[in-house]
Amino acid sequence: MLLPRAGAAARGWGGGGGAAGRSPPPLAALSQVLRLERSRRTGVVFPLQKLARYLAPGADTARFRLFQPGLAALQRAEALFRSGRDHAIDYVSSAVRMDHAPPPALPEVCFIGRSNVGKSSLIRALFSLSPEVEVRVSKTPGHTKKMNFFKVGKYFTLVDMPGYGYRAPQDFVEMVEAYLQERHNLKRTFLLVDGVVGLQKTDHIAVEMLEEFGIPYVMVLTKIDRASRGLLLKNVLEIQEFVKEKTQGCFPQLFLVSSLEFSGVHLLRCFVAHVTGNLPTVEAS
């Protein structure tokens, strides 16, 4: 949709993080995006749809536009991610065991992915309109060893999970599996995949676990600003086919994001708001 112009047992995993700046970066807010020319605007908000333009004639584009919110829904979602006097967004706590996790009082989403996939950087981009929220972004892969919980007002909790694939100890595997199996308020798991290299062996292990546990999840391709258009389209089509043929619990639309350029960040905010029950009128197949 074009926006109108407007003011189980041990798995084969090895072991993803400074505070944001004082002011939000360019394009962090929809009001800034809406000032762009139409094509650029669409590319920032709906990067997957823009990529679909380069498909062969007659190609099926249904999975490129399943979740297509309008401007009002995008603005409502943005408001949830913007802190205010009566709407606090706070880091709550970190946990290494489930008995250390905060009470499951709100709908919850978690972000999981390989170390160095850009997970904490993406969460920082999501919270960029609330720069007082500290999301630690590590320069060392595998540094995030704990589950970090962020409370978004009275609406939902977002969890930054440890990265996998880089020297992950057995207690890490047990911690993540316990969380996914026991956290009954978990509404959706966001599985981050590097948009440059595509699905890796450790990603397949994560998919197998989510499928085994019956956890609803969605795949998010990160770092799309680093991939050429041809490479990105190749990876998207391959992952879409994998999701269609090999998964049951994965949402069939991929989400493409760049934490640096904010492509896809606004749409992802909207999807988080939707799956946590805070945008009940948004259409999503």
Side-chain angles (χ1 to χ4, degrees):
M1 167 177 278
L2 293 178
L3 292 174
R5 184 169 292 278
R11 302 176 186 274
W13 286 6
R22 291 185 178 181
S23 60
L27 304 184
L30 272 170
S31 59
Q32 298 164 316
V33 177
L34 292 174
R35 298 189 185 107
L36 301 174
E37 57 88 18
R38 183 170 179 149
S39 177
R40 175 89 193 283
R41 198 160 70 238
T42 302
V44 171
V45 180
F46 299 109
L48 188 63
Q49 287 188 28
K50 185 174 182 179
L51 193 64
R53 298 175 184 173
Y54 302 98
L55 292 170
D60 181 11
T61 62
R63 286 175 287 173
F64 284 76
R65 55 185 72 247
L66 294 175
F67 184 74
Q68 191 170 262
L71 179 58
L74 290 162
Q75 290 173 328
R76 167 61 180 160
E78 178 175 290
L80 291 174
F81 281 88
R82 188 191 297 273
S83 59
R85 186 175 60 182
D86 299 319
H87 177 58
I89 300 177
D90 299 309
Y91 160 78
V92 177
S93 64
S94 296
V96 294
R97 301 202 314 261
M98 286 306 298
D99 55 357
H100 293 168
L106 295 173
E108 197 159 276
V109 294
C110 78
F111 283 63
I112 189 170
R114 289 192 305 116
S115 298
N116 208 30
V117 76
K119 175 168 49 61
S120 296
S121 295
L122 175 57
I123 294 173
R124 185 169 62 176
L126 291 171
F127 286 136
S128 59
L129 298 176
S130 303
E132 72 281 3
V133 179
E134 182 177 356
V135 181
R136 295 169 185 169
V137 180
S138 174
K139 295 180 180 179
T140 305
H143 183 77
T144 305
K145 299 297 187 184
K146 301 177 180 180
M147 301 178 285
N148 298 315
F149 293 79
F150 299 87
K151 183 180 178 183
V152 180
K154 59 183 180 181
Y155 298 100
F156 64 90
T157 303
L158 186 150
V159 187
D160 181 6
M161 301 294 285
Y164 57 77
Y166 184 84
R167 300 178 183 174
Q170 177 59 29
D171 57 356
F172 159 79
V173 176
E174 294 171 352
M175 169 178 60
V176 173
E177 292 190 350
Y179 170 85
L180 293 173
Q181 288 183 292
E182 299 174 19
R183 201 67 170 173
H184 300 304
N185 60 325
L186 178 62
K187 300 302 181 183
R188 195 73 53 126
T189 293
F190 290 75
L191 176 59
L192 274 56
V193 176
D194 191 318
V196 178
V197 300
L199 283 172
Q200 301 295 294
K201 180 179 179 180
T202 45
D203 298 320
H204 284 280
I205 294 169
V207 168
E208 291 171 6
M209 178 189 62
L210 293 166
E211 291 285 335
E212 177 184 339
F213 295 163
I215 305 292
Y217 62 104
V218 60
M219 288 196 198
V220 180
L221 270 63
T222 63
K223 305 180 183 179
I224 63 170
D225 54 284
R226 299 186 185 182
S228 67
R229 186 172 65 208
L231 176 61
L232 185 60
L233 186 57
K234 171 181 174 292
N235 288 338
V236 164
L237 292 175
E238 288 180 353
I239 296 173
Q240 280 185 336
E241 187 64 20
F242 171 81
V243 169
K244 179 181 178 182
E245 299 295 334
K246 304 293 185 181
T247 73
Q248 294 183 328
C250 187
F251 188 67
Q253 177 179 316
L254 305 180
F255 287 81
L256 275 54
V257 296
S258 166
S259 301
L260 182 65
E261 299 178 349
F262 278 84
S263 301
V265 171
H266 305 277
L267 186 64
L268 196 62
R269 285 177 183 152
C270 201
F271 193 70
V272 170
H274 174 61
V275 298
T276 55
N278 292 297
L279 289 178
T281 60
V282 174
E283 306 84 9
S285 301

